[in-house]
Amino acid sequence: MATEDGFAGGSGAHVETLIEMAAGASVEYACLPYLRATRDELRTGTPTTSIDPDMQAWWRTVFGGALTVMQLIVAEAIAETREHPDRARVYSGLLVFVEALARHDGDGHDRALAVLKGARERDDAVRDMIAAARARDEAALAAAAQVAYDPALVAELDAGDRVDAGEVSLPLPRSARPSGEDYFVRDSLDRLVAFYTCWAQRAGWLREMVLDNERWKAMSFRRAGATFDIRMKTWVFGENLLTFEWPAGTTATRAVRAVATPALPPVTRARPPVPGAAMRGPLGEVDALLADGGLVFAAKGDAVWLIDPAARTSTLFAGLARGNPPASVRGLAADGPDLLVRTSVTQLMWRIDATGAHTRITLPIAGFVRAFAYLAPVAYFACDNRILAVVLSTGEATELGTLPDIRALCARDGVLYVAAGGAVHALDLATRAMRPLVTLAKPVLGLASDGAGLYTLHDGGIGRVDLATSAWTQIAGMPELGAGNYLAMGREAPADGIAERAIIDSARLLSYDAGGLWFSERTRLRRLALAERHVTSLEL
């Protein structure tokens, strides 16, 4: 009899009896898979593979404890009824008790005691348990439905790829990159928790935090008998590692969301005359870049090329007259319909008008020019460590200030923005007052502005400074403003795509035009559509 050996050791006979009762019941028992796994382990002497190893390890402890506690419940029933329950009732009470443990039902003691006393039938007690669990789930879902989430978080649920696993279709954060069966994500752990909590509430899944600290998060999800887990942990280079744990036998696949390439802006600039027909073919790395009115001017050596992005053609637009010493192009700017060309000869610039005529401009400056910007009618130069302003029509030159390691200039709306190393400064052109705007971890190689934001180009990323708040955010490229660590590790990813999906490496020469940023990268010309945060490439 079970009462005589006190359920000692969880023997195979006890487990087999419980399996027979649960398998022949009129309701579904959640403990049945665990009982069968325990029987297999007792028979073979090795851990089962039919149940998740972590869950079965938990069950071994639970079941052993249940056998001990059940003796106390039997004794309690005898004390209350003055009767010794028969064998069938003892096993029925034990089955109800372990079912309560499997379902995390807090009334397991009282339910088992009622069965031992004859006040409840075994399967009816389990039905009560299921009804109580359903009521708790409905209450939890109703409470979750009242929570208001950040609209940006809700919108992101449909913005990225998805993982499909059986009846589960799970969203991935937009920045998620696959690595085997795991994903690298540029999001904080807390935001990942909020992301999947928001998804669970909208999709009708119950969520439970099973691990929560600064470095690790684990969440368990269930709905109508289906379960899965998500684990998150801190990683390197500003990313976190996201892992999905599915029930045994589940096949998970990633569904890549198709993203339409944003349309290029229309050409609004008058097409200047060119000496030859448009051609297709490689242009190679360029030395200067200007996007204006839907067209792009790119300089290589002593030649300026006109690029029509929509037609994917490049046309030789102008060549510099060979002088002594010879000059090559080092900067481009638009002055209405004219094109300003800064050359490698410090004192020499050219103006090319709408007819293609060249006019020489002599600059009253000396030294090495590191950066150039133009805001009519003044050209600005970073000459050594000095910031110089030159009125092109008169040649009048003024020194506006000094900064070490100046790498880029951008003039917009009465302000000259100066990138010096990783710091960006704002120089008010009316008052000549200079203030620091933002300091970043890596040097700024290029600047551009659309009036509301200032965009910073780095070797492997593009960021945006909100000019109203001075807050900086990376908007494209891999984490930490660089892709080199990923390329060195041999990770392959689409060259183009949205935000972090676009790998940027060795980027140079930034120019803003019509809602997009054009930048050069080795032998490619690339455009970041700002509204969509989508990067598209053109081969040069």
Side-chain angles (χ1 to χ4, degrees):
M1 295 279 296
T3 53
E4 293 171 353
D5 61 17
F7 304 107
S11 68
H14 299 330
V15 174
E16 197 67 55
T17 300
L18 295 176
I19 290 174
E20 291 176 0
M21 297 177 74
S26 58
V27 293
E28 182 177 352
Y29 279 75
C31 66
L32 185 55
Y34 298 106
L35 291 170
R36 286 172 171 160
T38 301
R39 177 187 61 189
D40 295 343
E41 290 182 344
L42 290 170
R43 288 177 175 176
T44 64
T46 59
T48 182
T49 58
S50 62
I51 294 292
D52 179 90
D54 292 337
M55 294 301 295
Q56 185 61 17
W58 163 80
W59 176 257
R60 291 189 202 101
T61 302
V62 166
F63 187 63
L67 296 177
T68 300
V69 173
M70 194 62 198
Q71 298 178 74
L72 302 177
I73 299 176
V74 170
E76 186 177 349
I78 294 173
E80 291 187 17
T81 62
R82 306 295 181 182
E83 295 180 359
H84 199 293
D86 59 24
R87 181 179 186 277
R89 189 173 295 174
V90 170
Y91 274 113
S92 290
L94 175 60
L95 185 58
V96 167
F97 187 59
V98 296
E99 178 69 9
L101 294 175
R103 292 184 179 274
H104 305 285
D105 185 281
D107 295 328
H109 173 279
D110 293 342
R111 297 187 193 281
L113 183 60
V115 171
L116 289 172
K117 292 163 56 176
R120 293 292 293 166
E121 292 297 322
R122 183 193 68 214
D123 288 358
D124 288 342
V126 175
R127 289 190 184 93
D128 290 346
M129 207 182 300
I130 294 172
R134 184 178 298 114
R136 289 194 302 271
D137 290 352
E138 290 174 354
L141 288 171
Q146 305 305 313
V147 178
Y149 288 94
D150 181 354
L153 194 66
V154 174
E156 191 174 346
L157 295 178
D158 299 321
D161 298 344
R162 305 190 72 81
V163 174
D164 294 326
E167 67 175 80
V168 183
S169 183
L170 195 65
L172 287 168
R174 192 161 57 179
S175 64
R177 297 183 299 104
S179 175
E181 295 181 355
D182 301 326
Y183 293 86
F184 292 109
V185 183
R186 185 170 173 79
D187 265 323
S188 68
L189 293 182
D190 288 338
R191 192 173 187 281
L192 284 174
V193 168
F195 180 82
Y196 284 109
T197 299
C198 179
W199 168 80
Q201 179 256 308
R202 286 161 51 87
W205 285 80
L206 291 165
R207 182 214 68 141
E208 179 184 3
M209 289 296 302
V210 295
L211 183 63
D212 189 1
N213 59 50
E214 292 183 355
R215 294 184 58 82
W216 293 82
K217 309 283 184 185
M219 308 169 72
S220 182
F221 299 83
R222 59 187 175 87
R223 183 179 71 181
T227 63
F228 69 93
D229 296 328
I230 297 179
R231 297 185 183 275
M232 304 159 237
K233 68 177 180 180
T234 56
W235 197 242
V236 294
F237 307 122
E239 290 190 302
N240 292 305
L241 189 64
L242 182 66
T243 302
F244 302 109
E245 297 185 349
W246 309 105
T250 302
T251 300
T253 58
R254 181 170 66 103
V256 179
R257 185 175 73 92
V259 178
T261 300
L264 293 168
V267 176
T268 58
R269 180 185 176 97
R271 293 179 184 270
V274 294
M279 72 173 205
R280 297 179 184 272
L283 183 59
E285 294 189 53
V286 297
D287 304 314
L289 184 70
L290 169 67
D292 186 57
L295 297 174
V296 178
F297 296 89
K300 183 175 176 63
D302 63 353
V304 179
W305 294 78
L306 174 62
I307 297 172
D308 185 331
R312 300 294 202 273
T313 59
S314 55
T315 307
L316 180 61
F317 170 60
L320 301 185
R322 288 286 181 176
N324 187 17
S328 56
V329 180
R330 290 292 181 266
L332 297 169
D335 186 13
D338 295 354
L339 186 68
L340 298 176
V341 181
R342 183 181 77 81
T343 75
S344 57
V345 178
T346 302
Q347 296 81 13
L348 176 62
M349 284 186 64
W350 291 96
R351 178 186 295 274
I352 304 176
D353 66 19
T355 68
H358 291 49
T359 302
R360 183 187 181 100
I361 302 174
T362 302
L363 302 173
I365 59 177
F368 179 70
V369 176
R370 298 174 60 93
F372 162 66
Y374 180 75
L375 185 61
V378 181
Y380 299 93
F381 302 88
C383 191
D384 297 324
N385 291 332
R386 299 172 299 150
I387 303 170
L388 302 178
V390 178
V391 180
L392 294 185
S393 59
T394 65
E396 178 186 357
T398 305
E399 182 173 319
L400 302 180
T402 61
L403 282 172
D405 194 23
I406 299 176
R407 300 186 178 216
L409 298 175
C410 173
R412 175 92 187 209
D413 300 331
V415 179
L416 180 68
Y417 299 100
V418 185
V424 180
H425 302 262
L427 174 61
D428 188 305
L429 295 175
T431 65
R432 299 187 184 179
M434 189 176 332
R435 62 183 176 89
L437 191 63
V438 67
T439 300
L440 303 174
K442 288 194 175 181
V444 177
L445 305 179
L447 293 173
S449 178
D450 60 2
L454 178 69
Y455 300 94
T456 62
L457 179 70
H458 309 264
D459 182 77
I462 297 175
R464 180 183 187 273
V465 181
D466 187 323
L467 293 178
T469 65
S470 296
W472 180 90
T473 307
Q474 185 165 339
I475 60 174
M478 303 303 285
E480 299 301 314
L481 302 176
N485 49 323
Y486 297 99
L487 298 180
M489 294 165 63
R491 300 192 185 281
E492 295 184 1
D496 294 345
I498 293 176
E500 296 88 348
R501 293 295 184 85
I503 288 182
I504 299 174
D505 189 57
S506 299
R508 299 291 185 273
L509 306 174
L510 186 68
S511 183
Y512 171 80
D513 178 45
L517 294 169
W518 289 94
F519 62 98
S520 64
E521 183 189 85
R522 294 193 174 95
T523 60
R524 292 189 297 177
L525 179 65
R526 310 186 76 185
R527 181 177 187 268
L528 170 61
L530 292 172
E532 299 86 355
R533 295 179 64 189
H534 189 283
V535 176
T536 306
S537 296
L538 300 176
E539 294 294 335
L540 299 181

